[in-house]
Every structure is written in C-alpha cells, then in structure tokens.
Amino acid sequence: MASWNRGYMSDIPYLCLHFIEQTPQFIDLALLRSGIVPPVRHENMSYCELGCGHGFTANIVAACHPEMTVHAVDFMPDHIAAARDLANEAGLTNIHFHDVGFDEFLAMRDIPQFDYITMHGVWSWVSQDVRDQIVAIVNARLRAGGAFYMSYNALPGSASALPLQKLYFDLHRFMSGDSLSRIADVMTLTDRLIEKGAEFFKSHPKVEKRHGGLKKQSTAYFAHEYLNENWSPSFLSDICENLSDARLTYAASADLASMTLLAEFEKQYGDIIENIPDPVISEQIKDYVIDNSFRKDIFIRGPRKLPGVDLLGRLNNVQITLLGAPDSYSNEFENSNRRFTMEKEPHAALLKQLEKGPRSISDLAASKGMDGISFSKLVNLVCCAIQAGQIAHLRDAKDIGDTGPASRLNRAILRRAQSGEELNWLASPSAGYGIHCNPMNKIFFMTMKAGGDPAEAMMETCRLLRQHVMKDGKPVTDADEAVKTLREAVEGFKSMRFKYMDKAGIAA
C-alpha cells in the first residue's frame, strides 16, 4: 500500500515563510513590466495557493485583500492546522484551508474560478502524476485572463546538483535513527567524501559550494528541498509543454531583478537570439547564459498585450515607497543565489528622492534629482530595489478596503513573536503583501504604534523566552545595561526604520 505522503518529506514541518512573488500585487507588476494585461479587477476576485505549507503567504494575502476569497491547499495536516490557527486568531473570514491532496481538491465541489493560482517549489518535488493533477486543477479552476505563478528548480543550473540530491536521499533513506539525526549523519558523511578528495566534488566545484551553503541552512529547508523521493528540475520549455494542456502561455518572469539582465543579455548575445523568434526558447537561452538554477514564472490563460500608450501610462502611475533609511541600503544584493549590482549613483539618487515620501514613477522621472536617468533605466532600477526589499510598490488607494484584518493578523504575529515564533513579516494592505522585518523591529514597531514602551516590550519578551539581550554578539547579563542597550536600539530603529515602515502602510 502506498504511503499517504507519496514520497514527500513529511517527518519535519516546512519553514513558515512569506513569498511576495506569490501575491497579486507583485504578480501584476511583473506582468505589467512585461507588457501583459494583469488579471482584471471585479467584484468576486479569488486566489488559490497549492502546497501552502503553514499558510503564511495565504493568510497575508487574505488579510491584505479582505474583498478577495482565498483558498489554500496542503496535504500535511500539521501545516493546515497551524495555518488555520493563525487565521482564526486573526479573525480572517475570507480564507479557506483544505487538508487534502491535489486529486481530492480537484474533485471538490463549490470551489470558485480563481483569478490567481500560485505554487512555491512544489513542482520540483512531486511525481509526474501529481504534476498532472496540478495541471488539471489549473485547467479546471483558473479563470480566463487569470495568472498562474510557479517557482521551481531550473535547468541547466540545477543539473550538477542532481547527483548531490541522490546522494543525500539515499544516505538518509538507509541510515538508522530519526530524521534529524540522519540528516546530521548525511552532512557529516558528505563532508568526509569531500575531505578525502572524491573526484565528483573535485570535478564539480559548484556542487561542493552548494553543499557548504546547505550546512548553513535550517534542517527544515534541507529536508524539504533535498530529501523527497522526487527531485526533478525542469527546463522552461518543458514546463510550458506541461502547462499547454491547461491552455496557459508563458507571460513573464516574476524575478524582477533578473529581468534587468535583459539589456546586457541582448547586447552581448543579440546575434544569437535574433534568429530565435520563440520567446520561450529565447528566455531559456538566458538560463544557459547565467546558469540559472531557480525560476519564478507567471503564465496566463489568454494573455493580452498592453498597447504602448497604456503600458507607459500604467508604469508611470506605479507608486513606490522606501522601507528604510537610504544609508542602510547597499547597491548590491543577492537574489535567487545570484549577486546583483545596481548602478551606484542612480541607486543613491532614487533612495534620496524616496526619502521625501511615496512617489510615482512619473514623479521620479520628472524630478531634477533623476536627471540623466532614462525611463527604462529608472523602471529597471525600481524593479531591482523592490526585489532587494528596499522599496515597496503601493496599491491604488481606492483598492484598499478594510485594514482591520491585517491589523489583527499583525497583532497575532506579534503575540507569536513574543512566544519565540519567527514570522518575520508584517502585513501591509497598502502594498498588498508582507514587509520583512526582524523579530526585534517587529516588536518595536507594533509596540510604538500601540503607544507602548518598545524597550520594555522587548525586555519582557526576553524574560518570557529566557533569552539575553545581545550587544556586539555577546549577551548582556546586567539588567540595567540590558535596558540601556534596548533603548539605544529603539532610537536607532526610530531613525532607520519606523517612519518608513509606517509610510508603507503596515497595519497595526
């Protein structure tokens, strides 16, 4: 009899993470950036996440979009139980969690047509029959003009990691002990192979580097990424072939930073791609150029191109806001395991302009501080800064409804932070997604918005968790010195983050 988990790692719960690329606001921007009409707004908007894990992204979408019906599916009962607990604590009434497999979800009645269906990573970790179920769900449930987002391990960049995953999986399967102890043994044995000079690792230095990076990751990440029976990276062209049965067309990459590579790519490889009229194959050749190992893609059922005038007008109207003091941000950042560098002077000029408050792209383009920066370069810069988490793009004020659900969700997140849970995002109805912030800043922000003492709130959290306040990497054991350290941190937070988080519309 087949196991209920169908070869998927179910011994260890997945991480509780939020991926802004899965949110309607972000998907719309990526489509707009590619000149494609995003899903059209209507009275009965609906959203679905397949393989939702702990449901953190789905809960944030529901809280930021109370006008939208949200469904989230995961076959691991502990994931759905945790997701429902958070939704119930926040009083979210527009979200529905389904503790079922994809085949069961497909057969369910009273499920609406969705404007957005999203999925993080799942495709790479499941068998072909489960992939067929995903395609069938999208075919049956995605509205015409709707968007399907998926991220997945990509080829050719993941090709060299196939033997590494097989090594991890086989070692883990045949060792004794519980999953955690076996994972530790897997890493130790792989280390020994490298130390003894195994030719595979000598011949594939990127694989050794990947293994070294994985030792710094959490056990939950490692388990769900590498210990599934099915681990199949894909070419974009093969994904498109699979999704053709659902009448989907590739529309855009949701990796806004990688899109900025396009100009240099076309300049250097233009003589190659000019002979390839197919946009999917042209995009796939770029994966060879950068040795891409992870893709974030958006597909549309019935894509429509925006006329040039409409596209320019909509890009001009994009509103953006700064998320921290300009001095706190570098022009270099990492995204999808790649290093990106924004031009230093234009980047500094953009942040300086945004320090004055939220601005539209048209306002920025017309400002004296942005002289000499072309419109296309400005859009690319904005996209990179959004992907880097330095700025957020804001929804039209008329689209923002009741902010109460997001406020309740953020208060629930705060209570959990004070119990030691790391939910490192707060919901912003203005942005339509979660804004990343570390545990201390989250407690500071929410406490200050409530009119409390942030240093004392953080001190009480440390007492509850039996943790020390840290300074320069060392614990502060004296109570008075700990309070002083926290008050200094509060002052730094006020100048570096608070006002910017407030302007981003984080609900409190």
Side-chain angles (χ1 to χ4, degrees), residues 80 87 92 95 103 109 142 151 160 169 207 238 252 287 309 316 327 342 364 400 419 461 463 482 489 492 505 508:
I80 292 297
L92 303 181
I95 189 165
D103 52 346
R109 298 181 179 181
L142 187 65
S151 59
S160 62
F169 178 76
V207 178
D238 291 336
D287 288 340
V309 174
N316 269 313
D327 292 346
M342 296 176 276
L364 289 168
I400 303 170
S419 300
T461 299
R463 293 190 195 104

Side-chain angles (χ1 to χ4, degrees), residues 285-331:
I285 286 177
K286 188 171 74 172
D287 288 340
Y288 280 87
V289 171
I290 64 176
D291 197 25
N292 199 6
S293 62
F294 193 73
R295 289 195 62 91
K296 307 170 187 177
D297 289 328
I298 303 169
F299 300 82
I300 293 287
R301 172 170 282 173
R304 292 170 295 147
K305 279 282 187 181
L306 273 167
V309 174
D310 291 346
L311 175 60
L312 184 61
R314 292 179 72 164
L315 284 172
N316 269 313
N317 287 333
V318 169
Q319 295 275 336
I320 54 177
T321 190
L322 195 58
L323 293 177
D327 292 346
S328 66
Y329 292 133
S330 169
N331 65 315

Side-chain angles (χ1 to χ4, degrees), residues 11 169 371:
D11 292 358
F169 178 76
D371 288 345

